[in-house]
Amino acid sequence: QVQLVESGGGLVQPGGSLRLSCAASGFTFSTYWMNWVRQAPGKGLEWVSTIISGGGVLGYADSVKGRFTISRDNAKNTLYLQMNSLKPEDTAVYYCAKDFGRGDSLDYWGKGTLVTVSS
Protein backbone atom coordinates (compact mmCIF):
# COMPACT_ATOMS: atom_id res chain seq x y z
CA GLN A 1 0.00 0.00 0.00
CA VAL A 2 1.12 3.51 -0.79
CA GLN A 3 2.01 5.64 2.21
CA LEU A 4 3.15 9.24 2.35
CA VAL A 5 4.07 10.73 5.70
CA GLU A 6 4.96 14.41 6.03
CA SER A 7 7.03 15.82 8.85
CA GLY A 8 8.94 18.97 9.76
CA GLY A 9 6.10 21.42 10.20
CA GLY A 10 5.82 23.76 13.12
CA LEU A 11 5.88 27.37 14.25
CA VAL A 12 8.44 29.67 12.68
CA GLN A 13 8.94 33.44 12.66
CA PRO A 14 8.62 35.51 9.49
CA GLY A 15 11.90 35.42 7.61
CA GLY A 16 12.79 32.06 9.07
CA SER A 17 13.36 28.71 7.41
CA LEU A 18 11.92 25.25 7.68
CA ARG A 19 12.50 21.96 5.88
CA LEU A 20 9.64 19.57 5.31
CA SER A 21 10.13 15.88 4.61
CA CYS A 22 7.87 13.26 3.09
CA ALA A 23 8.66 9.61 3.66
CA ALA A 24 7.26 7.45 0.88
CA SER A 25 6.62 3.72 0.78
CA GLY A 26 4.54 1.13 -1.05
CA PHE A 27 5.61 2.07 -4.57
CA THR A 28 8.72 2.57 -6.67
CA PHE A 29 9.37 6.10 -5.47
CA SER A 30 12.22 6.79 -7.88
CA THR A 31 10.00 6.42 -10.97
CA TYR A 32 7.26 8.87 -9.98
CA TRP A 33 6.87 12.60 -10.10
CA MET A 34 6.13 14.06 -6.69
CA ASN A 35 4.39 17.21 -5.55
CA TRP A 36 3.90 19.57 -2.65
CA VAL A 37 0.47 21.13 -2.28
CA ARG A 38 -0.70 23.42 0.51
CA GLN A 39 -3.94 24.66 1.99
CA ALA A 40 -4.04 27.89 3.95
CA PRO A 41 -6.68 28.32 6.66
CA GLY A 42 -10.08 28.88 5.09
CA LYS A 43 -8.72 28.61 1.56
CA GLY A 44 -8.53 26.02 -1.17
CA LEU A 45 -5.66 23.83 -2.27
CA GLU A 46 -2.68 25.55 -3.86
CA TRP A 47 -0.07 23.71 -5.87
CA VAL A 48 3.43 24.52 -4.62
CA SER A 49 5.91 22.53 -6.69
CA THR A 50 6.54 19.38 -8.71
CA ILE A 51 9.73 17.38 -9.08
CA ILE A 52 10.26 14.73 -11.73
CA SER A 53 11.50 11.24 -11.03
CA GLY A 54 15.17 11.97 -11.71
CA GLY A 55 15.25 15.08 -9.56
CA GLY A 56 14.65 17.85 -12.05
CA VAL A 57 12.19 20.53 -11.02
CA LEU A 58 9.07 20.97 -13.13
CA GLY A 59 8.24 24.29 -11.55
CA TYR A 60 7.09 26.36 -8.60
CA ALA A 61 4.06 28.44 -7.83
CA ASP A 62 4.75 32.14 -8.33
CA SER A 63 4.06 32.73 -4.67
CA VAL A 64 7.07 30.64 -3.59
CA LYS A 65 9.57 31.09 -6.42
CA GLY A 66 13.00 32.07 -5.18
CA ARG A 67 12.18 31.05 -1.62
CA PHE A 68 11.27 27.35 -1.73
CA THR A 69 13.29 24.46 -3.10
CA ILE A 70 11.90 21.01 -3.82
CA SER A 71 14.27 18.04 -3.84
CA ARG A 72 14.29 14.29 -3.42
CA ASP A 73 16.57 11.50 -2.27
CA ASN A 74 15.52 8.44 -4.22
CA ALA A 75 17.84 6.19 -2.23
CA LYS A 76 15.93 7.17 0.91
CA ASN A 77 12.47 7.32 -0.68
CA THR A 78 12.13 10.84 0.67
CA LEU A 79 10.82 14.10 -0.75
CA TYR A 80 11.84 17.46 0.70
CA LEU A 81 10.71 21.06 0.64
CA GLN A 82 13.19 23.64 1.86
CA MET A 83 11.34 26.82 2.77
CA ASN A 84 13.29 30.04 3.28
CA SER A 85 12.28 33.65 3.88
CA LEU A 86 8.96 32.48 5.19
CA LYS A 87 6.01 34.85 5.22
CA PRO A 88 2.77 34.77 7.22
CA GLU A 89 1.01 34.00 3.94
CA ASP A 90 2.89 30.68 3.84
CA THR A 91 0.91 29.46 6.83
CA ALA A 92 -0.84 26.32 5.66
CA VAL A 93 -1.10 22.59 5.89
CA TYR A 94 1.47 21.19 3.50
CA TYR A 95 0.73 17.94 1.72
CA CYS A 96 3.02 15.55 -0.09
CA ALA A 97 1.31 14.00 -3.10
CA LYS A 98 2.25 11.32 -5.64
CA ASP A 99 1.59 11.94 -9.30
CA PHE A 100 -0.33 9.15 -11.01
CA GLY A 101 1.61 9.61 -14.21
CA ARG A 102 3.50 12.65 -15.43
CA GLY A 103 1.76 15.86 -14.58
CA ASP A 104 -1.51 13.95 -14.39
CA SER A 105 -3.69 13.51 -11.34
CA LEU A 106 -2.41 13.21 -7.78
CA ASP A 107 -3.55 9.78 -6.71
CA TYR A 108 -2.11 9.54 -3.21
CA TRP A 109 -1.73 12.19 -0.54
CA GLY A 110 -0.20 12.33 2.88
CA LYS A 111 -2.13 13.61 5.87
CA GLY A 112 -0.23 16.89 5.86
CA THR A 113 1.96 18.84 8.23
CA LEU A 114 1.05 22.27 9.57
CA VAL A 115 3.38 25.21 9.04
CA THR A 116 2.58 28.36 10.99
CA VAL A 117 4.53 31.54 10.22
CA SER A 118 3.93 34.10 12.94
CA SER A 119 5.76 36.41 15.30
Side-chain angles (χ1 to χ4, degrees), residues 18-20 36 48-49 51 57 60 64 66-72 80-84:
L18 209 60
R19 188 179 78 159
L20 306 183
W36 286 102
V48 174
S49 184
I51 188 167
V57 178
Y60 296 94
V64 307
R67 301 187 299 118
F68 289 14
T69 302
I70 190 171
S71 63
R72 66 194 296 161
Y80 302 98
L81 184 67
Q82 177 66 47
M83 305 184 294
N84 299 325

Side-chain angles (χ1 to χ4, degrees), residues 88-116:
E89 306 93 272
D90 295 318
T91 295
V93 175
Y94 285 73
Y95 298 95
C96 170
K98 171 183 174 290
D99 200 300
F100 178 73
R102 295 182 177 181
D104 198 353
S105 62
L106 307 184
D107 58 351
Y108 290 94
W109 298 61
K111 294 182 179 180
T113 185
L114 177 63
V115 172
T116 302

Side-chain angles (χ1 to χ4, degrees), residues 10-56:
L11 176 64
V12 63
Q13 294 184 335
S17 298
L18 209 60
R19 188 179 78 159
L20 306 183
S21 297
C22 171
S25 61
F27 66 102
T28 306
F29 176 77
S30 62
T31 69
Y32 286 88
W33 291 16
M34 296 295 296
N35 306 264
W36 286 102
V37 182
R38 68 185 183 182
Q39 185 169 33
K43 301 188 68 177
L45 295 169
E46 178 188 20
W47 170 79
V48 174
S49 184
T50 300
I51 188 167
I52 66 173
S53 57

